[in-house]
C-alpha cells in the first residue's frame, strides 16, 4: 500500500507512469491532495496538464478525508501533512513525496518509509512492468519537465538506478 502526495502524483503523471502505478499498487491519497491537484490543474503548463491527468484517473485512487493533521512546519504543506496522518492511519508501507526539503521532517513523523516517486518506477522494473531503460527514460522525462536536472532530487533518483546496472 502506497500513500502519495501531490508532488509525487504529478511526477508520475508527467512521465506517463501513473497508470502503470495504479494498476500495480494500491494507491491512497487525501482529499487535500485532490484539492491541490485541482488548483494546479488550473495552470496552462506541464504541471497543470499532469495534475489534470491525475484527476482524470482519480477513480483508481482511494481518497480519504483526514482530520486536521496539526503538523506545523515551514517545509511540510497541507497535502504532505494529511498524507503523513493517512500513512499512519492505514499503516501503509510507503509515503511517496517529491518534496525533498520536507522528506526528512515527514520521515521523522512516521514509521513508514518516505521516498521519492522514482522508487515506484524502480519497483515497476523489479516487477518486470518496465525495463531498466524505460524507467530511466521516464526519470529523465520527469527531470526535464519538473526542472530536476542538476538538482539533488535528480541525483538521488539516479542513484536508485545506478546500482542496478
Amino acid at each position: 500500500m502506497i500513500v502519495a502526495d501531490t508532488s509525487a502524483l504529478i511526477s508520475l503523471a508527467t512521465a506517463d507512469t501513473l497508470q502503470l502505478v495504479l494498476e500495480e499498487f494500491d494507491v491512497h491519497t487525501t482529499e487535500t491532495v485532490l484539492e491541490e491537484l485541482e488548483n494546479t490543474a488550473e495552470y496552462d503548463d506541464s504541471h497543470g496538464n499532469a495534475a489534470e491527468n491525475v484527476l482524470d484517473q482519480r477513480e483508481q485512487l482511494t481518497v480519504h478525508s483526514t482530520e486536521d493533521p496539526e503538523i506545523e512546519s515551514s517545509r511540510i504543506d497541507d497535502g504532505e501533512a494529511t498524507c503523513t496522518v493517512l500513512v499512519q492511519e492505514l499503516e501503509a508501507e510507503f509515503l511517496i513525496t517529491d518534496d525533498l526539503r520536507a522528506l526528512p521532517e515527514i520521515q521523522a513523523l512516521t514509521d513508514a518509509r518516505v521516498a521519492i516517486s522514482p522508487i515506484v518506477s524502480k519497483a515497476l522494473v523489479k516487477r518486470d512492468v518496465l525495463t531498466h531503460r524505460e524507467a530511466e527514460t521516464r526519470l529523465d522525462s520527469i527531470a526535464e519537465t519538473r526542472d530536476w536536472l542538476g538538482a539533488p532530487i535528480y541525483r538521488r533518483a539516479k542513484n536508485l538506478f545506478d546500482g542496478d546496472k
Side-chain angles (χ1 to χ4, degrees), residues 10-18 46-47 50 53 98 117-118 121 130 132-149 154 157-158 161:
I10 286 176
S11 293
L12 293 168
T14 295
D16 291 328
T17 307
L18 182 61
S46 59
H47 296 100
N53 184 330
D98 285 342
S117 64
S121 295
L130 290 176
H132 185 96
R133 184 173 183 82
E134 289 170 332
E136 284 196 318
T137 299
R138 289 171 190 240
L139 172 59
D140 289 342
S141 175
I142 292 171
E144 289 176 20
T145 306
R146 306 270 289 156
D147 203 22
W148 287 5
L149 293 173
Y154 184 61
K158 291 292 278 183
F161 293 97

Side-chain angles (χ1 to χ4, degrees), residues 97-112:
T97 181
D98 285 342
D99 188 338
L100 207 52
R101 288 181 350 115
L103 194 148
E105 287 188 34
I106 295 170
Q107 184 63 76
L109 296 171
T110 181
D111 296 329

Side-chain angles (χ1 to χ4, degrees), residues 6-56:
T6 307
S7 62
L9 291 169
I10 286 176
S11 293
L12 293 168
T14 295
D16 291 328
T17 307
L18 182 61
Q19 183 60 44
L20 295 173
V21 171
L22 294 173
E23 290 171 4
E24 288 291 317
F25 301 99
D26 183 17
V27 182
H28 297 250
T29 196
T30 68
E31 290 177 346
T32 303
V33 167
L34 282 188
E35 290 170 12
E36 290 178 353
L37 288 165
E38 289 168 355
N39 290 336
T40 303
E42 293 178 11
Y43 292 92
D44 187 22
D45 60 14
S46 59
H47 296 100
N49 294 338
E52 189 68 40
N53 184 330
V54 176
L55 292 170
D56 288 346

